[in-house]
Amino acid sequence: MMDFSTLLRTQTKVIKLLNNSILKNRLVRVYLFEGAKGTQKIEAAYYFASLLMCEKENKPCGECLSCRRIKEGKHPRIFFIEPASKGNILKSQIDELEHEFSLVSLEEGIRVFIIKDIDKATLEASNRLLKFLEETSSTTYGILTTENLQSVINTIKSRSQIVSFAKVPRDVIIEEYTKRGIKEELSRVLSILTNDINEGLIYEKDEKIIAIIELVKAIDEAIWWKEKEPILVLNETGKFLMNEKDKMYHNIFIDLMATIINDHIYYKLNQRNEITFIDADLDVNCEVKELFTLVEKVLVYKQKIKYNVNVELMYIQMLIEMTR
């Protein structure tokens, strides 16, 4: 089910532009939505489709048949394309789009195509799309999206109206998670891991990520309160991470180790709203300057994890450096 509530709160300039384009009859045929991950670009594409297809005067009403179909992702006059399994948008996908729009629609009216991550289109696919754009009818509109505007070929950019999306504020992301019943500390951690609310909701269900969060808190406690050696904590509760092949989890671990040290800094600077691990004991006997040095030491390993390394030895080395 497509939900526009976060979009309406976080992208007010974009919403105003799209609404005005309808009210003042300033529509263009192709829009290029660009912005960071999690900035509701796909939701905005379907919102725009609702503006175009809504059957009521006060658009989008959210209640007519067209609006309901769009929210359910089932409108027969909307065609959606995203990168194929190999991570690219292929010529065959554009061929399918062209074939679909060459057929007489079972329903009369405006037709919309949405292409996610147009920057990932192959050169053949991009050239085919340009040809398709030249041949579309006056009742066809396109929305292309990208997180990397510089990688979109100039000929596509020149044929589109570029609409820039603002980054979603962290407090809004945290609020969205807490509204869904997620505890505040975990909501704050998820907001650090991704700016994409939908991706964060997937992370919240990932047992490995939850285990990494607990491991980070346990290691931090061991570093400052000396009840256990940090390396012992790693060996006892972090074995799953030592055996993990997916580097995403190692990046998350290192990012969160840096985050919890930053939390100690925020605590000392009395910037409590910036703290992520709000349930941790952050009042430690250490100068801010030393904490900054610790963050730098941890982030060195963010680079090392890119290469084929023995992660167990790497983490042991990291913890030894942190506790010197």
Side-chain angles (χ1 to χ4, degrees):
M1 179 71 73
M2 190 64 57
D3 182 9
F4 300 140
S5 58
T6 304
L7 170 72
L8 294 172
R9 290 180 61 200
T10 60
Q11 302 295 339
T12 53
K13 290 183 178 179
V14 170
I15 294 301
K16 183 178 180 180
L17 183 149
L18 296 178
N19 287 341
N20 284 341
S21 68
I22 297 287
L23 292 172
K24 299 179 181 180
N25 196 24
R26 294 178 179 171
L27 291 168
V28 297
R29 301 291 298 285
V30 182
Y31 292 83
L32 176 55
F33 291 173
E34 70 91 14
K37 189 175 185 177
T39 49
Q40 304 280 298
K41 295 182 294 298
I42 295 299
E43 288 81 357
Y46 281 97
Y47 176 85
F48 183 58
S50 296
L51 287 174
L52 292 170
M53 297 181 176
C54 179
E55 299 160 17
K56 301 294 179 68
E57 187 175 342
N58 187 21
K59 306 173 184 293
C61 70
E63 298 174 356
C64 69
L65 178 60
S66 284
C67 285
R68 293 200 310 271
R69 285 163 139 187
I70 289 169
K71 282 197 169 186
E72 292 168 3
K74 297 177 180 178
H75 203 294
R77 287 184 278 122
I78 296 178
F79 196 88
F80 178 77
I81 293 176
E82 61 185 337
S85 57
K86 293 184 178 180
N88 290 320
I89 293 169
L90 306 175
K91 177 178 174 292
S92 59
Q93 292 175 281
I94 307 301
D95 287 340
E96 186 180 352
L97 170 67
E98 187 174 31
H99 176 70
E100 178 71 21
F101 277 65
S102 70
L103 301 174
V104 177
S105 176
L106 294 175
E107 294 184 4
E108 291 186 359
I110 288 170
R111 303 172 85 181
V112 174
F113 64 91
I114 300 166
I115 303 181
K116 181 183 178 184
D117 297 334
I118 189 61
D119 54 286
K120 295 178 182 175
T122 64
L123 183 59
E124 282 187 327
S126 296
N127 289 334
R128 193 68 175 176
L129 177 62
L130 289 168
K131 181 177 181 294
F132 170 70
L133 294 179
E134 292 172 359
E135 298 172 351
T136 54
S137 72
S138 60
T139 57
T140 295
Y141 294 88
I143 302 107
L144 318 175
T145 77
T146 181
E147 295 170 16
N148 187 0
L149 185 61
Q150 299 304 315
S151 294
V152 180
I153 65 172
N154 289 331
T155 45
I156 286 179
K157 286 192 281 192
S158 67
R159 285 168 171 76
S160 310
Q161 178 174 337
I162 299 173
V163 180
S164 296
F165 283 62
K167 187 175 181 181
V168 180
R170 187 187 181 203
D171 59 343
V172 172
I173 296 174
I174 293 169
E175 185 181 339
E176 287 294 325
Y177 292 140
T178 54
K179 276 166 49 178
R180 289 167 167 83
I182 300 174
K183 291 183 179 179
E184 185 178 357
E185 183 179 84
L186 179 54
S187 296
R188 288 174 171 270
V189 172
L190 294 173
S191 74
I192 287 290
L193 297 182
T194 177
N195 195 52
D196 186 333
I197 293 169
N198 293 326
E199 185 174 57
L201 293 172
I202 295 171
Y203 285 175
E204 188 258 339
K205 303 295 184 186
D206 191 322
E207 292 180 359
K208 290 180 183 178
I209 291 178
I210 300 303
I212 288 171
I213 293 169
E214 294 305 314
L215 177 62
V216 167
K217 292 164 71 174
I219 289 175
D220 183 74
E221 185 176 335
I223 288 172
W224 301 111
W225 305 112
K226 313 296 184 184
E227 292 182 6
K228 268 188 180 181
E229 287 294 325
I231 292 174
L232 181 60
V233 173
L234 180 69
N235 285 330
E236 286 180 351
T237 61
K239 280 296 183 186
F240 75 96
L241 189 61
M242 303 304 102
N243 298 323
E244 180 57 55
K245 302 298 183 185
D246 189 339
K247 290 186 178 180
M248 178 190 80
Y249 294 104
H250 296 287
N251 280 312
I252 287 173
F253 173 66
I254 294 171
D255 284 342
L256 292 183
M257 284 300 303
T259 296
I260 202 166
I261 299 168
N262 273 319
D263 283 350
H264 290 292
I265 297 171
Y266 290 133
Y267 184 89
K268 287 188 173 294
L269 297 177
N270 202 29
Q271 296 178 8
R272 306 300 166 82
N273 288 338
E274 301 296 329
I275 292 172
T276 298
F277 288 93
I278 56 174
D279 296 335
D281 189 346
L282 300 171
D283 189 11
V284 298
N285 184 24
C286 186
E287 297 295 324
V288 169
K289 184 178 179 180
E290 296 174 72
L291 290 167
F292 275 122
T293 301
L294 276 182
V295 173
E296 291 172 356
K297 287 181 178 180
V298 170
L299 292 179
V300 165
Y301 291 88
K302 179 86 171 174
Q303 299 301 315
K304 291 185 179 182
I305 203 67
K306 293 178 181 179
Y307 306 102
N308 292 323
V309 294
N310 184 313
V311 292
E312 186 169 5
L313 291 178
M314 186 191 75
Y315 286 144
I316 289 171
Q317 182 184 359
M318 181 180 80
L319 293 176
I320 289 171
E321 287 191 29
M322 292 178 69
T323 51
R324 279 178 183 169

